[in-house]
Amino acid sequence: MILCPVCKVKSYLIWRERQYRVYRCKNCKVAFLYPLPEDTSFIYNDAYFKNWYIKYHSERKNYIKKLFSIIERDIELKGKLLDVGCGTGILLEVAKEKGCEVYGQDISPFAVTHCRNKGFDVYDKPLPELNLPENSFDIITMFDVIAHFKDPVSYIKTVAKILKQGGYLIIKTPYHSPLLFFLSNILSFTGKSRALLHIPAQIFHFNYQSLNLLLSNNNLKLINSIIIDDFSLLDKPIFLRIISGKSLITMWQKL
């Protein structure tokens, strides 16, 4: 029996290819890779950040600015901000320009060094291992990272502790519809359908229901939930190769 890592309910197989399997929880409907990959750090090497972030810095920065303009319809971006999985610090740049006091967290030595060389304060351990003071941050952002954590539950529990009362958590994660899993199953015989699902890099495929269960159990209430078409926010076609087609953005407030 395969149990959901989020809510510990029995899950069922929805996709397979070679040694990879994806299950979906009967309760919260999260889809997840099982067994968990032992190590995915090789995916996020120096070349990854140089080729997909530093090379397209201006395109990504414009993209973040447009995302912020959507988020600011519901949340005022001010105060002390922590970006979890900050990468090369593009979100930190935009948030700082808006007047936020910014901090980053990443486990990639290359990304951490790059951000520190730009003058940012960046933590270099997984968030649950940092032992940060409770009630420390006004805003915590997780853009395209929660799907890659082996234990997203521990990250959300940590966020709930270090976020100030009334503070905000903003999560952005790829939105993969059931239709995409159906198509991937049809193409699994090719041995390449996992690319459609970003496997093995993407471990979890969250939806509104699974995120709501996870976060509401940790004293966080939903402010708004939006599915966006990433392509509509982009200016240059070459950037289409970098990100997935749709994303789910959810905004939460600590009670």
Side-chain angles (χ1 to χ4, degrees), residues 53-63 90 236:
Y53 284 83
I54 295 175
K55 185 176 181 180
Y56 297 104
H57 177 272
S58 61
E59 289 91 344
R60 283 191 176 271
K61 188 170 182 177
N62 287 334
Y63 174 70
I90 300 172
K236 297 185 178 181

Side-chain angles (χ1 to χ4, degrees), residues 17-33:
E17 183 181 284
R18 296 183 179 178
Q19 76 270 31
Y20 300 105
R21 302 287 186 275
V22 170
Y23 292 80
R24 188 179 299 281
C25 175
K26 289 186 175 181
N27 181 42
C28 74
K29 307 303 180 183
V30 69
F32 58 94
L33 186 63

Side-chain angles (χ1 to χ4, degrees), residues 30 63 73 81 111 164 183 209-211 230:
V30 69
Y63 174 70
R73 298 170 189 170
L81 180 147
K164 295 178 181 178
L183 178 61
Q209 186 173 345
S210 52
L211 282 176
D230 285 304

Side-chain angles (χ1 to χ4, degrees), residues 30-217:
V30 69
F32 58 94
L33 186 63
Y34 185 88
L36 296 177
E38 292 185 7
D39 182 22
T40 57
S41 60
F42 68 93
I43 298 173
Y44 311 106
N45 54 22
D46 297 9
Y48 169 80
F49 288 105
K50 290 177 180 177
N51 293 335
W52 300 112
Y53 284 83
I54 295 175
K55 185 176 181 180
Y56 297 104
H57 177 272
S58 61
E59 289 91 344
R60 283 191 176 271
K61 188 170 182 177
N62 287 334
Y63 174 70
I64 294 296
K65 287 180 178 179
K66 291 181 179 180
L67 286 179
F68 273 18
S69 68
I70 295 174
I71 291 166
E72 286 178 304
R73 298 170 189 170
D74 296 288
I75 295 175
E76 185 177 2
L77 298 176
K78 66 176 184 178
K80 192 175 179 181
L81 180 147
L82 172 66
D83 185 27
V84 178
C86 62
T88 55
I90 300 172
L91 186 149
L92 296 179
E93 290 180 27
V94 178
K96 185 177 180 180
E97 290 170 3
K98 287 184 171 291
C100 294
E101 178 186 350
V102 298
Y103 297 82
Q105 176 276 330
D106 210 291
I107 59 173
S108 161
F110 177 87
V112 170
T113 299
H114 184 82
C115 286
R116 287 175 176 172
N117 287 341
K118 293 198 292 186
F120 293 122
D121 291 322
V122 178
Y123 304 107
D124 59 2
K125 295 180 180 179
L127 188 66
E129 298 178 13
L130 289 175
N131 295 316
L132 294 172
E134 294 184 11
N135 306 310
S136 297
F137 297 96
D138 299 287
I139 298 173
I140 297 177
T141 53
M142 291 182 170
F143 279 28
D144 298 314
V145 293
I146 193 171
H148 305 286
F149 298 145
K150 288 186 179 182
D151 184 10
V153 176
S154 67
Y155 273 79
I156 296 302
K157 288 183 179 296
T158 302
V159 165
K161 291 179 181 178
I162 66 175
L163 195 61
K164 295 178 181 178
Q165 186 174 6
Y168 298 102
L169 168 64
I170 308 167
I171 296 176
K172 175 182 176 292
T173 192
Y175 177 74
H176 290 161
S177 69
L179 179 61
L180 183 61
F181 281 96
F182 177 75
L183 178 61
S184 298
N185 260 318
I186 293 176
L187 298 175
S188 62
F189 74 94
T190 66
K192 298 179 180 180
S193 72
R194 61 187 181 276
L196 294 173
L197 303 173
H198 302 166
I199 289 174
Q202 186 167 344
I203 300 172
F204 287 89
H205 303 260
F206 284 100
N207 53 31
Y208 163 76
Q209 186 173 345
S210 52
L211 282 176
N212 188 53
L213 178 63
L214 173 57
L215 277 79
S216 61
N217 285 340

